[in-house]
Amino acid sequence: MAKYTKRQNPAGWGDATKLVRGGLDRSPHGETSEAIYLTSGYVYEDPETAERRFAGEEEGYVYGRYGNPTVTMLEERMRLLEGAEACYAVASGMSAAFGALACQLKVGDHVVASRSLFGSNYQIITAILPKFGVTYELVDGTDAKAWKQAVKPQTKCVFLETPSNPLLEVLDIQMICDIAHKAGAVVIVDNVFATPILQKPMEQGADIVFYSNTKHTDGQGRVFGGTILCSKKFKEELLKPFLRHTGPTLSPFNAWVLLKGLETLKLRIEAQSRAAATIAEALASTKGVERVYYPHHDAHAQVKLARNQMKMGGTMVSFNVAGGKTKAFEVLRKLGIIDISNNLGDTKSLITHPATTTHRNIGPEARAMMGISDGNLRLSVGLEDVDDLVGDLRQALKT
Ligand SMILES: *Cc1c(COP(=O)(O)O)cnc(C)c1O
């Protein structure tokens, strides 16, 4: 196999090279594109080989739930891109979030999380883990004092998202890691909104980073997938036993789609982020828009931190319209290009009303605590001409 695989210090490559060539493992056929190994099982030349594989004395695949060559290529590409020791790919972003938490938590443990959370992250921490005896505290993620007070000796994990969904709050990863590590807690970062192109949380001290590859990695709205980036020790001792036996297996087909998505990730993120910055600026001067949330916009509450921590402002823009739900719905109905969808990170621009969709389940009190108003709209900026998108938003906002 090594014949067709050029591996010259891939760890020293730039992101664009890693995205196109990282983890490529060609078969003896020498195919240009990554192969899809759509198989659930493997055969052995003789019983001794099977015995050695099961004893862990010989490298090789034994069962699709334990590993697959196409999935391995994705894991290696993501690992190189993040600069992590290890990567484990799973079926979705949520199986990555749950796996990263559940593989290490037990009854009596405590989790501290930033309060601005993606809906399903919020459900795992506040409703599912407590059933297994894991307690939690949610804090204002921008407040160092709040983190210091909340992190206790029994705090096993600190969990955060930055920028957050849907208000794009930016949290100081290094500050939070310092506080967590002093107490011996493990820091988990949901890096879905920033992507590894704009922000690599491990450089700021994060222990575990996870992705919904469903979002920007695929970027074209086709498949589900998730990845967990971590240390070798964490993967071998905690993640592998948990995920192999609980089974959120990534389909080799989906892994292949994600590998192809990664090849254009940098180009897409940079183009979509440039368009998002233009749109944020345009919305800020549009009548009927009360407030714009965009990490690199001058009016953002943590703009200095955001400029330090993120290479660009990202592909998401959030804004409040005057007139609450009625006006927000009117704007959505009037849009002629941008689609109404709660998905994000797509080449097609998508917009959602968080209070009635992604953040409906958490209820009005939790929404108020997070600062999500009924006039809030969350826009995922795609690859269309930015002038068309600004024009679409302006005509929809016109009274
Ligand atoms: C979508 C999303 C997830 C969950 O990913 P799935 O692939 O849908 O399971 C987690 N965190 C954030 C910030 C997301 O946007």
Side-chain angles (χ1 to χ4, degrees):
M1 285 216 185
K3 194 174 158 199
Y4 295 105
T5 307
K6 299 177 191 164
R7 286 223 185 86
Q8 306 137 331
N9 182 29
W13 288 344
D15 281 357
T17 311
K18 286 175 182 169
L19 286 166
V20 175
R21 294 185 173 273
L24 179 60
D25 187 8
R26 290 194 170 118
S27 83
H29 299 299
E31 63 281 353
T32 310
S33 171
E34 294 73 7
I36 312 177
Y37 292 92
L38 212 51
T39 181
S40 50
Y42 304 89
V43 299
Y44 313 96
E45 199 58 37
D46 46 53
E48 289 78 11
T49 305
E51 186 181 28
R52 283 195 304 277
R53 294 254 180 106
F54 274 80
E57 293 162 8
E58 178 183 297
E59 288 247 345
Y61 296 97
V62 294
Y63 189 50
R65 176 152 47 75
Y66 280 37
N68 173 283
T70 312
V71 174
T72 302
M73 285 193 261
L74 174 68
E75 289 174 337
E76 182 61 7
R77 192 165 291 179
M78 287 295 295
R79 188 193 73 75
L80 285 166
L81 179 63
E82 195 72 31
E85 280 184 18
C87 174
Y88 199 109
V90 287
S92 67
M94 286 327 299
S95 49
F98 185 66
L101 284 161
C103 79
Q104 58 178 317
L105 290 168
K106 60 177 190 318
V107 58
D109 286 342
H110 181 245
V111 176
V112 180
S114 54
R115 66 187 181 188
S116 298
L117 292 173
F118 178 73
S120 294
N121 286 338
Y122 184 85
Q123 293 296 333
I124 288 176
I125 290 167
T126 66
I128 297 171
L129 289 174
K131 283 201 264 187
F132 298 91
V134 176
T135 56
Y136 70 91
E137 189 166 340
L138 301 180
V139 298
D140 172 354
T142 61
D143 183 355
K145 235 173 64 200
W147 284 107
K148 277 185 201 143
Q149 277 167 2
V151 176
K152 302 182 177 76
Q154 69 269 32
T155 304
K156 189 77 173 281
C157 292
V158 160
F159 186 102
L160 64 126
E161 286 175 40
T162 180
S164 70
N165 179 31
L167 296 184
L168 308 174
E169 207 170 78
V170 176
L171 310 185
D172 189 333
I173 300 171
Q174 194 165 348
M175 174 269 282
I176 297 164
C177 287
D178 288 347
I179 294 168
H181 290 158
K182 267 194 199 118
V186 170
V187 179
I188 305 177
V189 178
D190 177 333
N191 203 35
V192 172
F193 273 33
T195 81
I197 301 302
L198 303 182
Q199 170 176 291
K200 294 185 165 65
M202 284 181 169
E203 291 173 0
Q204 269 88 51
D207 302 288
I208 296 160
V209 175
F210 75 88
Y211 293 98
S212 163
N213 297 85
T214 317
K215 308 293 167 58
H216 302 85
T217 303
D218 175 5
Q220 290 152 84
R222 299 163 296 190
V223 302
F224 272 86
T227 40
I228 303 156
L229 291 307
C230 57
S231 70
K232 264 189 195 144
K233 186 171 151 65
F234 184 81
K235 178 176 174 174
E236 293 304 320
E237 291 177 10
L238 295 166
L239 259 191
K240 241 190 208 177
F242 182 84
L243 294 170
R244 281 184 166 184
H245 302 304
T246 54
T249 312
L250 177 65
S251 152
F253 177 78
N254 290 7
W256 178 81
V257 173
L258 297 172
L259 277 162
K260 303 319 280 179
L262 282 175
E263 294 183 8
T264 57
L265 182 69
K266 189 163 187 276
L267 287 175
R268 286 185 284 107
I269 295 302
E270 288 172 357
Q272 289 170 232
S273 296
R274 271 196 302 276
T278 303
I279 288 168
E281 199 61 55
L283 285 172
S285 62
T286 301
K287 230 182 105 208
V289 175
E290 275 180 344
R291 184 163 175 187
V292 175
Y293 304 85
Y294 187 68
H296 279 205
H297 191 264
D298 288 332
H300 192 278
Q302 297 98 19
V303 65
K304 209 172 139 226
L305 170 66
R307 288 198 176 127
N308 271 328
Q309 199 167 265
M310 297 170 70
K311 281 192 185 139
M312 298 177 85
T315 67
M316 307 292 295
V317 181
S318 194
F319 59 102
N320 295 347
V321 296
K325 179 184 164 182
T326 310
K327 182 66 187 176
F329 272 32
E330 189 189 311
V331 170
L332 292 181
R333 275 194 300 268
K334 281 189 182 166
L335 286 166
I337 296 171
I338 301 166
D339 290 306
I340 303 168
S341 172
N342 48 287
N343 201 1
L344 63 97
D346 204 276
T347 53
K348 293 181 176 68
S349 291
L350 307 173
I351 195 165
T352 195
H353 182 247
T356 53
T357 60
T358 54
H359 290 69
R360 194 195 102 83
N361 272 345
I362 63 170
E365 274 162 44
R367 279 199 300 278
M369 172 193 80
M370 294 181 189
I372 304 166
S373 77
D374 286 351
N376 180 251
L377 291 169
R378 189 201 72 187
L379 172 68
S380 168
V381 179
L383 280 179
E384 303 93 338
D385 286 303
V386 67
D387 291 347
D388 291 338
L389 297 175
V390 170
D392 198 23
L393 287 161
R394 285 222 164 113
Q395 65 78 25
L397 281 156
K398 211 171 250 161
T399 41

